[in-house]
Amino acid sequence: MKYILAFIFFSQFAFSQSPYPQDYFRSPLDVTVVLSGTFAELRSNHFHSGLDIKTQQRTGLNVYGVAEGYVSRIKVSHYGYGKALYITHPNGYVSVYAHLSKFSPRIQKYIKACQYDKESYEVEVFPSPDELPISADEIVAFSGNSGSSGGPHLHFEIRDNEERPINPMLFGLDVKDTKAPFLTAVYAYPKDKTAHVNEIKKRTELRLIPNKNGDYTTEPIEALGDIGFGIVSYDQQDMAYNKNGLSNIQSFYNGNKTFEMDFKRFSFDESKHINRFIDYEVFKEKKSRIQKLFVQSGNTLSMLKDVDANGYITVEDSTNTVYKVRLRDFKGNESWLTIPVKGKPAKEILEAPELKPNTYIIANQFNELDQGNVSVYFPKDTFYEDFHIDFSVLNDTLKLHKNTVPLMKSYTIKFDIKNYVEDDKDKLFIANLYGYYQKPSYISTKRLGDMLSARTKSLGTFTLASDTVSPTIKPVNFQDGKWLSKLTHLKVKIEDDLSGISNYRATINGKWILMEYDYKRDTLTYDFDDNINTETENNLKIIVTDNVGNNTTFESTFFRK
C-alpha cells in the first residue's frame, strides 16, 4: 500500500509543479476572478486561447497591466477581439487584453492619433519598446464588450515568445474550484466494419450511470475488434454556472494508458484541428461536442500525449476487460468513468448497402467539380480523408454536401453570370443558405468580368443572390437643425438587410471624424471630445456602403458652442 501511496503523492506533486513563474504576474482586474470561459475550452472552429473573466455584468472596470513591460501591439476591429492590447514583458511573455471599452488616456491618445492619421476606425499598430512603456500595476484599459463578445467580460491571455497561448492559471492566477468535472454522454466508435459494439457497427451512445461518489459507469458492453470512445463533458467553478472546459483527459485500458489530452498550451495554426478532435457531424447536427479519445488522420494537436494505438482498444473474443477515463480540472478535482467490456462476436447481420453519391473526393490531391454555370475548386488537403460528396447544381443553386464534414482549408466557388442583364451583374453576390428558412448569408464575393468567386471553409448550399436596396441611416440622439451643446456623443443607427455593411465614412465640415461601429447594436458613435468640430454651425455627412456597392448618404446640420 505504501508504494501505491508514494506513487499517488509523486504523481500529484509532479502535476502541481510548474515551469512557469508563479509570482511574476498579478491579476488583470481588482475583482475576484470568476470565469465564464476557461483556457482551451471547445469553441466553434477553435480552442479558446485565454480566460474569460467576468466583470460583474458591467463595463468600465480598471484593467491592469499584469507586470511591467511595453505595449507592443494595439488592434482595433469591428469583430473578433474588438479593442485589444498586447504587452510584452521582460521575461519574454506577452499578455493580451481583449473586448475592451477603451484604453487608458495616454494609450487612447496614441491610438486615436493613428486612427485619424489613417482615417479608419479599424487599425493595427506595433509601437516600439520606448513609445508606450508600462509600469507594474498601471491601469492600461477599461473592460468592455467590444468585438464579437457575447457580453461584458475581459478576455485575458498569456503567450510565449512563439505566440503560443498558455493557460494563465499556470502562472498562479487563482480561481476557486472545488467541483469535479461532469460527464453528460458517452459514445463508442467501432473503427471499421470488422468491429462492433452491442451488435452495432457505427457510433453508438452508451447508457451512462452516475455513481453516488461522483464517478460514472456504463452498463457492460459486448464488443469485438478495434473500438474508440468519445465523451461529452464540462467543468464548473465554485462561483459560476458556466459550463467550462476541462484541463486534462486520460484513458486507460486494463490499467495501461491509451490516450491523454492536456489542455496547457497550443498554437493558433493547429487550433482548426478541433474539428477533428470533436465529432464534427454531431456538433453540426445536434450542437453537442463529443471529444474523441482516439486520434484520426490529420489530428496533429500538440496537446495530445501518450497516445497508444491511436487511442483505440482491441477487444478480443471471450475476454473481460475494463476501459477507464479520468477527467480532471485545473485544480486537480477529478471524475472517473468505468466501461466494462466483454469480448463477444456479433451475430451475422444482413446490412442494406449504403447509397452514396457518385462524386468521390481524394483528400491528398486537388479536386475540381463542374456543372452548368458553377465550378468548385478544392486545394490539396482541404479534407482529412477521402469521401463521397453530394454535388449538384439546379439553376443558380449549388448543393455541396451537408456541412457535417470538417475542412482544413478554404476552397473556391465560382458562378458564371454571363446570362444576366448587364445592369444586374453588379448587384449579385454568392450567398450561403442557412437555417430552416434557407436565408441567404453574404460570402465575400469578387467579380472578374462575368465570373463571381468566393472562398469559404464550410460545405452546404450556396446560391446567387441580388441586393438592390441601399443601407439605411437614422439619427439616434439628435435632430437636424438643433443645438447639441450638451451632448457628449453623436449617435446614428445604420442597417443593411441583405449583403451587409461594407464600409462607412463620416465628416464634419469636410473633415473626417472617427465613428465607432458597434455591429451588435448597428450604431456609429462620435465622441465630441475629439474636437473636430470647431464652428458653431456644423454639417455632418455620413456615407454607408453595403457589400455590393449600394450606398446611402445622410446629411444633417447641428449647432454647438
Side-chain angles (χ1 to χ4, degrees):
M1 173 65 81
K2 64 180 180 180
Y3 298 110
I4 296 175
L5 290 174
F7 173 76
I8 293 173
F9 171 79
F10 285 116
S11 295
Q12 291 178 341
F13 178 80
F15 179 73
S16 65
Q17 297 305 295
S18 172
Y20 306 103
Q22 297 300 292
D23 300 315
Y24 193 89
F25 296 119
R26 59 155 290 167
S27 170
L29 297 172
D30 281 333
V31 298
T32 301
V33 176
V34 180
L35 302 181
S36 59
T38 52
F39 182 79
E41 193 169 274
L42 309 181
R43 300 287 178 90
S44 293
N45 301 315
H46 69 283
F47 293 96
H48 188 229
S49 56
L51 301 179
D52 284 344
I53 305 175
K54 290 177 178 258
T55 55
Q56 303 173 340
Q57 299 180 336
R58 57 196 174 108
T59 62
L61 272 62
N62 292 342
V63 176
Y64 296 87
V66 293
E68 67 172 330
Y70 68 92
V71 175
S72 54
R73 181 184 178 192
I74 307 171
K75 186 173 183 180
V76 179
S77 54
H78 299 143
Y79 308 103
Y81 281 10
K83 297 178 182 179
L85 189 70
Y86 300 72
I87 298 176
T88 295
H89 303 282
N91 62 358
Y93 293 103
V94 176
S95 56
V96 183
Y97 316 77
H99 305 309
L100 304 168
S101 61
K102 59 181 179 179
F103 305 104
S104 66
R106 69 187 180 99
I107 299 175
Q108 189 81 359
K109 181 180 179 181
Y110 178 95
I111 197 63
K112 273 203 173 183
C114 296
Q115 290 171 312
Y116 273 98
D117 180 59
K118 297 182 179 181
E119 295 193 353
S120 174
Y121 170 72
E122 291 193 299
V123 293
E124 182 175 17
V125 294
F126 300 87
S128 62
D130 59 347
E131 285 186 277
L132 293 171
I134 300 298
S135 59
D137 298 324
E138 180 179 341
I139 296 173
V140 296
F142 302 91
S143 67
N145 187 31
S146 60
S148 300
S149 168
H153 73 278
L154 174 68
H155 174 89
F156 174 67
E157 298 178 17
I158 295 179
R159 300 181 185 180
D160 65 15
N161 57 11
E162 296 181 39
E163 282 292 300
R164 294 176 298 185
I166 305 168
N167 188 348
M169 294 173 71
L170 288 165
F171 296 84
L173 189 64
D174 191 41
V175 178
K176 189 175 181 181
D177 184 2
T178 60
K179 300 178 183 178
F182 296 87
L183 193 62
T184 60
V186 184
Y187 294 81
Y189 289 78
K191 186 177 181 181
D192 51 41
K193 293 296 183 180
T194 65
H196 82 95
V197 173
N198 295 336
E199 308 280 346
I200 300 172
K201 297 190 175 185
K202 58 184 179 180
R203 177 188 60 237
T204 181
E205 185 171 4
L206 307 182
R207 181 169 174 262
L208 185 63
I209 305 170
N211 299 331
K212 291 182 179 179
N213 65 353
D215 291 335
Y216 303 84
T217 59
T218 68
E219 292 180 332
I221 63 171
E222 295 181 347
L224 200 72
D226 293 340
I227 310 296
F229 293 91
I231 60 170
V232 180
S233 60
Y234 65 93
D235 186 48
Q236 282 185 323
Q237 284 79 46
D238 286 9
M239 293 179 283
Y241 293 101
N242 304 78
K243 293 182 177 180
N244 299 137
L246 303 183
S247 178
N248 185 276
I249 303 173
Q250 299 174 348
S251 66
F252 305 85
Y253 188 49
N254 291 336
N256 298 312
K257 186 192 286 189
T258 58
F259 176 95
E260 181 174 359
M261 186 74 167
D262 195 22
F263 301 92
K264 281 189 176 70
R265 182 183 70 187
F266 62 88
S267 68
F268 288 104
D269 287 343
E270 64 178 317
S271 193
K272 63 188 176 185
H273 296 307
I274 188 174
N275 290 333
R276 194 59 163 165
F277 172 57
I278 66 170
D279 190 320
Y280 189 72
E281 180 181 19
V282 172
F283 170 62
K284 297 305 291 187
E285 293 185 339
K286 299 181 179 180
K287 303 305 177 186
S288 176
R289 291 185 174 94
I290 302 173
Q291 300 172 80
K292 295 182 290 191
L293 310 184
F294 54 94
V295 180
Q296 295 172 294
S297 61
N299 182 356
T300 57
L301 290 171
S302 62
M303 292 180 285
L304 292 167
K305 296 171 58 179
D306 299 333
V307 178
D308 180 56
N310 288 327
Y312 289 96
I313 65 171
T314 300
V315 182
E316 298 179 349
D317 190 9
S318 303
T319 56
N320 287 283
T321 53
V322 176
Y323 182 84
K324 285 180 173 285
V325 181
R326 177 162 66 179
L327 315 174
R328 188 161 50 183
D329 63 24
F330 186 83
K331 286 288 191 177
N333 304 303
E334 61 182 41
S335 302
W336 284 85
L337 165 68
T338 301
I339 304 175
V341 183
K342 295 181 179 180
K344 187 175 181 179
K347 297 176 183 177
E348 287 297 325
I349 302 173
L350 292 176
E351 295 182 290
E354 186 178 353
L355 298 177
K356 296 181 178 180
N358 290 328
T359 306
Y360 193 64
I361 295 292
I362 300 176
N364 66 354
Q365 70 179 40
F366 171 84
N367 294 268
E368 181 177 356
L369 309 178
D370 263 301
Q371 187 176 328
N373 64 327
V374 179
S375 55
V376 181
Y377 304 87
F378 295 112
K380 178 183 176 182
D381 296 324
T382 298
F383 300 99
Y384 286 98
E385 58 191 356
D386 303 347
F387 73 107
H388 291 269
I389 192 170
D390 185 3
F391 169 71
S392 63
V393 177
L394 180 62
N395 298 324
D396 285 328
T397 299
L398 162 67
K399 183 177 181 182
L400 199 56
H401 214 75
K402 292 192 297 182
N403 186 21
T404 55
V405 177
L407 279 67
M408 288 187 279
K409 297 178 180 179
S410 296
Y411 66 96
T412 302
I413 299 171
K414 291 186 177 182
F415 279 80
D416 189 330
I417 58 171
K418 64 176 178 288
N419 293 329
Y420 277 82
V421 176
E422 197 65 32
D423 290 344
D424 296 338
K425 292 179 181 179
D426 286 337
K427 305 304 179 184
L428 293 174
F429 64 94
I430 299 174
N432 176 219
L433 299 180
Y434 71 96
Y436 180 81
Y437 294 103
Q438 293 288 276
K439 293 183 177 180
S441 176
Y442 175 83
I443 303 176
S444 182
T445 304
K446 295 180 179 179
R447 181 183 172 189
L448 183 61
D450 285 336
M451 193 68 68
L452 293 183
S453 67
R455 290 176 59 76
T456 181
K457 206 174 180 181
S458 61
L459 302 177
T461 303
F462 305 88
T463 192
L464 282 181
S466 177
D467 184 357
T468 59
V469 179
S470 298
T472 60
I473 308 173
K474 297 178 181 177
V476 173
N477 65 341
F478 65 96
Q479 294 178 333
D480 185 41
K482 299 292 184 179
W483 283 87
L484 306 180
S485 299
K486 294 183 179 180
L487 287 185
T488 59
H489 295 80
L490 271 180
K491 185 173 288 189
V492 300
K493 190 175 186 68
I494 63 173
E495 293 181 291
D496 188 82
D497 289 337
L498 190 51
S499 65
I501 303 295
S502 172
N503 59 72
Y504 61 91
R505 180 178 177 84
T507 58
I508 291 179
N509 299 333
K511 295 180 180 179
W512 184 86
I513 61 171
L514 175 64
M515 296 201 81
E516 180 173 335
Y517 178 39
D518 184 345
Y519 79 93
K520 296 191 286 284
R521 295 180 175 84
D522 297 317
T523 57
L524 294 177
T525 303
Y526 166 67
D527 187 344
F528 278 118
D529 282 346
D530 290 359
N531 294 319
I532 298 303
N533 55 302
T534 58
E535 306 294 330
T536 301
E537 182 176 343
N538 299 275
N539 176 254
L540 171 69
K541 183 176 183 180
I542 303 172
I543 303 172
V544 179
T545 306
D546 67 19
N547 278 300
V548 298
N550 300 308
N551 64 73
T552 300
T553 300
F554 170 87
E555 292 192 76
S556 178
T557 298
F558 67 89
F559 301 90
R560 185 176 173 86
K561 287 185 178 179

